Amino acid sequence: MTISADDLTIRSADASDQEAVEALLRNALGKDDDPNYPAFLEWKHRQNAFGVSPAWVAVHEARIVGYRTFMRWAFRTGEGKRVTAVRAVDTATDPDYQGLGIFRRLTLQGVADLTLAGDGIVFNTPNDKSRPGYLKMGWQVSRRVPIGVLPRTPQSLIRMATSRVAASIWSEETQVGLPAANALTDLATASALLAHAPSRAFRTDRTPEYLAWRTAFEPLNYRLLLADESDPRMGGLIFRLRRRGAALEAAVIEQLVPDVRTGVRLMARMLNLTKADYAIAVRTSPSTGLIPLPGNGPLLTTRPLAASPPPAKEWALTLGDLELF
């Protein structure tokens, strides 16, 4: 039987779809052998501090054959105004239903529904393969996110340069620093660190509740290295270790430090204690001494919903805003 796009029903996903959606994602994305995947989806889409992810499905004769979700997010402008947002994340099409435009139909339906609901903007960092599809649906390239690195030794620099492959999803074990999943459930600790978060430009709406959620998924093994273990008001780094080819990479998702000297000292201390080959982070400021890697950061793409994205120069993202999702 020949199936056409007209044979499909596009609708909002609901709780009864969860099992079928997870099976579709596992099959389409090759996650069948990942024991962390169901809990990861739960953390990302239903425990998110910004709210439950809205999602849409394509259905053919009661069979879910396509899925698209947008992860809820929120930003603050330089003037302090809150802007609701979503991030285009998980999507999958049943291999038997390729070529029917399911990705495009689900995405445009989501965009229409979110706009009517009053959500502000959508953003993501699609790869080279998927970016053209987004651009055809009204997304625009905003800017290349400025990435920086700091090698630990000359030998580490060589390993970094020869390990240009995708990083592992799950983290390596380390005892350096504090387990962030525990330390940041103390909202006083989180609040003290967030005093050093950017207060100008267009940035994620970082609250203590956000920081606690963002670091809570245990397989990611986020660590908190404080400048002063007895006083989080002195600042700290949040990081995790992951393998990238032969290199051990320290991905720093938050640089919550009061000044350049503290940031540089903490970054060097983290590298020396973990023996990571290098640190990588977004260069939102020079405070941690990162060396810029021009042309190597992901391309940020945006689309207006009920609001307009800010100019490219106003964005102040961190690796915590971009990785994983």
Side-chain angles (χ1 to χ4, degrees):
M1 179 179 65
T2 301
I3 301 169
S4 73
D6 292 338
D7 297 319
L8 304 177
T9 299
I10 305 296
R11 62 167 174 82
S12 296
D14 58 41
S16 66
D17 299 322
Q18 185 172 334
E19 184 176 348
V21 164
E22 184 181 316
L24 175 63
L25 286 168
R26 280 184 172 277
N27 180 42
L29 304 180
K31 300 292 186 180
D32 282 333
D33 59 350
D34 188 343
N36 295 318
Y37 194 60
F40 179 62
L41 292 176
E42 177 70 22
W43 167 74
K44 181 167 67 166
H45 292 307
R46 288 176 283 280
Q47 298 173 5
N48 183 353
F50 294 124
V52 175
S53 300
W56 291 261
V57 291
V59 183
H60 179 245
E61 296 180 347
R63 176 183 175 184
I64 291 179
V65 299
Y67 175 73
R68 160 96 273 184
T69 188
F70 292 81
M71 186 178 180
R72 292 206 177 277
W73 212 258
F75 292 97
R76 292 280 177 184
T77 67
E79 295 74 36
K81 179 183 177 182
R82 194 172 192 265
V83 178
T84 59
V86 290
R87 181 171 179 182
V89 283
D90 298 327
T91 184
T93 298
D94 188 307
D96 294 338
Y97 290 78
Q98 298 284 350
L100 297 177
I102 290 176
F103 165 73
R104 179 181 177 85
R105 289 184 64 188
L106 287 170
T107 301
L108 290 178
Q109 186 64 56
V111 164
D113 290 350
L114 290 165
T115 302
L116 287 174
D119 288 281
I121 64 172
V122 58
F123 75 107
N124 59 338
T125 52
N127 58 32
D128 293 343
K129 182 179 179 180
S130 60
R131 189 181 308 113
Y134 282 107
L135 297 180
K136 290 178 181 177
M137 292 185 288
W139 268 251
Q140 292 186 334
V141 175
S142 176
R143 65 173 301 183
R144 187 175 293 280
V145 180
I147 294 293
V149 296
L150 184 64
R152 181 168 58 87
T153 67
Q155 292 75 21
S156 296
L157 180 60
I158 294 172
R159 278 191 290 275
M160 181 185 76
T162 56
S163 298
R164 299 177 67 85
V165 296
S168 300
I169 294 177
W170 308 123
S171 302
E172 298 290 309
E173 291 292 331
T174 180
Q175 299 304 310
V176 173
L178 303 169
N182 294 334
L184 294 172
T185 57
D186 178 358
L187 298 186
T189 296
S191 295
L193 289 166
L194 287 173
H196 305 303
S199 59
R200 295 184 293 274
F202 195 76
R203 75 279 185 190
T204 289
D205 185 16
R206 284 173 175 76
T207 64
E209 292 78 12
Y210 160 80
L211 207 57
W213 163 76
R214 182 63 186 84
T215 57
F217 192 57
E218 290 189 3
L220 295 174
N221 196 28
Y222 287 113
R223 308 294 293 187
L224 169 63
L225 185 63
L226 294 171
D228 183 333
E229 293 183 2
S230 64
D231 189 356
R233 293 175 299 177
M234 301 304 293
L237 301 179
I238 302 173
F239 71 96
R240 70 184 183 106
L241 301 182
R242 60 190 184 187
R243 287 286 170 187
R244 189 182 293 274
L248 181 60
E249 177 182 278
V252 181
I253 68 163
E254 294 289 348
Q255 306 163 63
L256 300 169
V257 292
D259 52 55
V260 172
R261 182 177 180 181
T262 302
V264 171
R265 179 169 57 85
L266 260 181
M267 190 71 79
R269 181 178 162 210
M270 184 267 294
L271 286 172
N272 288 331
L273 290 174
T274 62
K275 304 303 180 187
D277 288 299
Y278 64 96
I280 186 169
V282 176
R283 295 185 71 250
T284 51
S285 74
S287 59
T288 51
L290 296 168
I291 301 168
L293 283 182
N296 281 270
L299 286 173
L300 174 69
T301 62
T302 63
R303 189 190 194 285
L305 296 174
S308 296
K313 65 181 180 180
E314 293 186 13
W315 287 83
L317 299 174
T318 73
L319 204 58
D321 303 325
L322 301 177
E323 71 160 1
L324 294 173
F325 305 121

